[in-house]
C-alpha cells in the first residue's frame, strides 16, 4: 500500500500496488505461464533492434565481471505461456527514464531537486524491471473471472474481489478507511 496524493480532493489516500514479485506470483498462479523474466540489457548485449516490428537479438555477456561493469542501455521482459505464445518487450534506458518521469511524481521531483528519495532514484534498474513486467503482462491471457488481474493491468485503485464476492477492496473514501481493507487484500492474494 503506497500513499498517493489526491490533488482533486486535497488529501492523501492509500493505493494498493502490486510489486514485481506479486505480478510474477499472480502470473504463475494462473497456470498459463511456462516462463516469465525481466532483465537489464548491458552495452554490448544488444545485437539488433527494430522497434517497428518488435524484433531484436541479444548476445548475453557471459563474464560476470564484464557484465557488471558494462553500463545498462535498456530493459527486456518476456513471457511464454503453456500453449507456446511468446510476448517480448524491449525499452531503451532513455524510454524508461521518460516513462518514470511521466508516471512518477516523486521521481520527477527528485530529478528536479537532485534528491534520492523515490524508489526510482534509489534503484532505477529494479523499478525498470518491474515496469517491464507490468508492460509485457498487459499482453498476457486473462480470464474474465479475474478482477484482480484486471485491476492490476489497469494500474489504478479499483474494486478488487474474488469471483465469489467474498472479499472486496475498493477505492479509499472518507467513510471507508483503507486500513480496514488491508487484511482483505492479503487474504485475496493468499
Amino acid at each position: 500500500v503506497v500513499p498517493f496524493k489526491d490533488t482533486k480532493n486535497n488529501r492523501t489516500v492509500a493505493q494498493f500496488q502490486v510489486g514485481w514479485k506479486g505480478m510474477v506470483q499472480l502470473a504463475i498462479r494462473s497456470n498459463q505461464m511456462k516462463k516469465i523474466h525481466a532483465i537489464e540489457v548491458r552495452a554490448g548485449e544488444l545485437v539488433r533492434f527494430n522497434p517497428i516490428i518488435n524484433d531484436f537479438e541479444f548476445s548475453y555477456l557471459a563474464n560476470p565481471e564484464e557484465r557488471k561493469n558494462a553500463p545498462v542501455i535498456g530493459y527486456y521482459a518476456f513471457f511464454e505461456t503453456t500453449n507456446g505464445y511468446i510476448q517480448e518487450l524491449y525499452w531503451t534506458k532513455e524510454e524508461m527514464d521518460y516513462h518514470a518521469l511521466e508516471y512518477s511524481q516523486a521521481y520527477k521531483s527528485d530529478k528536479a531537486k537532485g534528491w534520492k528519495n523515490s524508489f526510482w532514484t534509489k534503484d532505477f534498474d529494479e523499478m525498470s524491471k518491474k515496469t517491464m513486467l507490468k508492460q509485457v503482462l498487459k499482453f498476457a491471457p486473462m480470464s474474465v473471472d479475474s478482477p484482480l488481474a484486471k485491476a492490476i493491468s489497469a494500474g489504478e485503485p479499483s474494486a478488487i474481489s474474488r469471483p465469489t464476492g467474498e472479499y472486496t477492496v475498493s477505492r479509499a473514501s472518507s467513510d471507508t478507511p483503507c486500513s480496514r481493507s488491508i487484511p482483505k487484500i492479503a487474504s485475496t492474494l493468499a
Side-chain angles (χ1 to χ4, degrees):
V1 179
V2 178
F4 178 72
K5 190 170 185 175
D6 179 0
T7 54
K8 290 182 182 177
N9 297 311
N10 197 25
R11 64 184 180 159
T12 301
V13 295
Q15 179 180 11
F16 175 65
Q17 288 187 357
V18 177
W20 71 268
K21 289 179 184 178
M23 282 187 252
V24 169
Q25 283 299 311
L26 286 169
I28 290 168
R29 290 179 189 181
S30 74
N31 291 324
Q32 295 180 328
M33 293 293 159
K34 183 176 178 182
K35 297 177 186 176
I36 183 168
H37 188 61
I39 192 169
E40 63 277 345
V41 177
R42 306 268 177 177
E45 292 182 325
L46 181 64
V47 176
R48 180 183 78 247
F49 178 49
N50 182 340
I52 294 172
I53 59 171
N54 198 38
D55 180 46
F56 32 76
E57 180 183 345
F58 302 101
S59 177
Y60 186 77
L61 295 175
N63 180 308
E65 192 64 31
E66 182 184 356
R67 186 166 203 283
K68 182 178 138 187
N69 293 326
V72 173
I73 61 164
Y75 303 91
Y76 169 79
F78 88 99
F79 68 82
E80 180 180 358
T81 62
T82 54
N83 69 0
Y85 173 70
I86 296 173
Q87 181 63 49
E88 301 173 285
L89 190 62
Y90 172 76
W91 282 6
T92 64
K93 189 166 186 174
E94 292 77 22
E95 287 173 300
M96 188 60 70
D97 187 63
Y98 179 81
H99 175 85
L101 287 168
E102 178 90 10
Y103 292 99
S104 172
Q105 294 304 311
Y107 180 64
K108 185 186 272 186
S109 176
D110 278 3
K111 292 272 283 199
K113 297 174 183 174
W115 294 352
K116 285 194 168 234
N117 294 324
S118 75
F119 290 117
W120 277 99
T121 50
K122 289 178 184 175
D123 201 344
F124 190 87
D125 290 339
E126 287 302 308
M127 290 297 290
S128 297
K129 288 188 279 187
K130 178 199 92 156
T131 298
M132 291 302 291
L133 282 171
K134 187 173 181 178
Q135 294 299 316
V136 78
L137 284 172
K138 288 180 179 181
F139 297 95
M142 282 195 199
S143 167
V144 292
D145 295 329
S146 179
L148 182 58
K150 288 179 186 175
I152 292 166
S153 71
E156 63 181 45
S158 59
I160 303 173
S161 63
R162 286 184 170 223
T164 62
E166 189 176 7
Y167 299 107
T168 302
V169 178
S170 54
R171 191 179 300 273
S173 67
S174 58
D175 60 325
T176 340
C178 191
S179 60
R180 282 192 228 148
S181 302
I182 293 170
K184 293 179 183 178
I185 293 171
S187 298
T188 303
L189 296 176

